[in-house]
Amino acid sequence: MGMVSGKTAIVTGSGAGIGRAAALRFAAEGAKVVVCDVDVEGGKETAAAIERQGGKAIFIEADVSRVQDVDALITRTVEAFGRLDCACNNAGIEGRIAPIVEQPIDNFDRIMAVNLRGTFLCLQAEIRQMLKNGGGAIVNLASVAGLIGFPGLAPYVASKHGVNGLTKNAALEYGKQGIRVNAVCPGGVDTRMLDSLARQSTGGEKTTREMMEPLHPIGRIGTPEEIAELIVWLCSDHASFVTGANIPIDGGFVAQ
């Protein structure tokens, strides 16, 4: 028996990176998985990988910044699997690096639309459905940038601080109705997003590892699979007394 056997889980932004690793881990631990992304090819690849490993998954294309897409995601999930027990709100973008006075407004708006509005819309729709089920567990993807500042990344930092705030509020509002809500705050993780930030920061002069590994006391960056382990654990009954937490998983980064 897996940690989430018999449960249904949605993972947004699961066409690659942490989202894909989380979707695969949910399936390995016995859940039926709804893979969601705007990247159709990547999302279908994730769902196919789950099926190849003997799991059960469907892919649903959705832009989490759009109310109608999020509502349709929940409707189609329930049509396919009958209920919603777990959700990982992972979809997010990093945008461009620039000081606040040089940040384009459209960059700020797009980051907030996906990272913060998207998480809010998903929380609304997921919680409505979980209330019908009698409970559930949600994990939001924040970041160490939701706990501290990073020069040049003000829109991203603001969005992830907002995700951590939403997490606390949702946990307080729905804990007595059987819904737990937590956030994970990864440090540097080997993903395309981190590669993009490294290229922007160094003008392509340093690799992601050259730039990021010295910043982590553990001496390396993390893997998507390590973050996925925490996500699935938080959605399992093993974490039944954990809610409202913003949990660093960062190789000691914010302990410095």
Side-chain angles (χ1 to χ4, degrees):
M1 290 286 287
M3 284 195 294
V4 287
S5 287
K7 296 187 177 183
T8 297
I10 289 174
V11 184
T12 67
S14 45
I18 292 171
R20 173 173 285 179
L24 289 166
R25 193 70 210 154
F26 270 115
E29 292 291 341
K32 298 181 284 290
V33 181
V34 176
V35 176
C36 167
D37 209 304
V38 292
D39 175 4
V40 174
E41 182 177 354
K44 287 182 175 179
E45 286 176 2
T46 301
I50 290 171
E51 297 278 353
R52 285 196 300 272
Q53 295 178 10
K56 193 165 187 179
I58 61 170
F59 168 69
I60 298 174
E61 181 183 1
D63 178 345
V64 297
S65 70
R66 294 165 54 87
V67 174
Q68 57 268 46
D69 282 22
V70 173
D71 288 344
L73 171 64
I74 304 303
T75 298
R76 292 179 62 189
T77 296
V78 175
E79 288 173 351
F81 296 130
R83 57 187 292 117
L84 175 62
D85 304 287
C86 311
C88 173
N89 297 320
N90 166 74
I93 58 175
E94 77 283 2
R96 63 173 286 185
I97 296 176
I100 287 175
V101 297
E102 298 172 21
Q103 280 283 350
I105 298 302
D106 60 352
N107 182 63
F108 179 89
D109 289 344
R110 182 59 184 157
I111 289 171
M112 298 300 282
V114 176
N115 296 3
L116 187 55
R117 174 185 165 91
T119 299
F120 178 77
L121 294 179
C122 286
L123 279 171
Q124 279 194 320
E126 292 155 0
I127 290 169
R128 286 190 190 109
Q129 183 58 44
M130 288 177 178
L131 289 171
K132 298 175 184 177
N133 297 345
I138 299 171
V139 175
N140 297 321
L141 258 290
S143 167
V144 291
L147 301 170
I148 58 176
F150 282 86
L153 286 174
Y156 184 79
V157 168
S159 73
K160 293 303 185 178
H161 273 72
V163 167
N164 279 332
L166 281 176
T167 298
K168 293 175 183 178
N169 240 67
L172 293 175
E173 291 174 2
Y174 295 99
K176 290 181 180 177
Q177 291 160 282
I179 298 173
R180 293 185 300 104
V181 187
N182 292 288
V184 298
C185 301
V189 179
D190 189 9
T191 61
R192 291 184 302 198
M193 179 183 288
L194 193 66
D195 287 341
S196 171
L197 291 172
R199 286 194 303 272
Q200 289 189 66
S201 295
T202 68
E205 293 180 3
K206 290 185 178 181
T207 67
T208 302
R209 282 188 166 80
E210 287 172 338
M211 186 184 88
M212 295 301 298
E213 285 185 345
L215 303 179
H216 293 72
I218 203 169
R220 64 174 177 86
I221 58 175
T223 68
E225 290 74 22
E226 288 174 312
I227 312 306
E229 290 284 353
L230 177 57
I231 291 166
V232 176
W233 180 80
L234 285 169
C235 283
S236 77
D237 292 339
H238 294 289
S240 56
F241 198 53
V242 184
T243 195
N246 303 150
I247 304 173
I249 176 167
D250 64 353
F253 189 97
V254 297
Q256 298 177 99

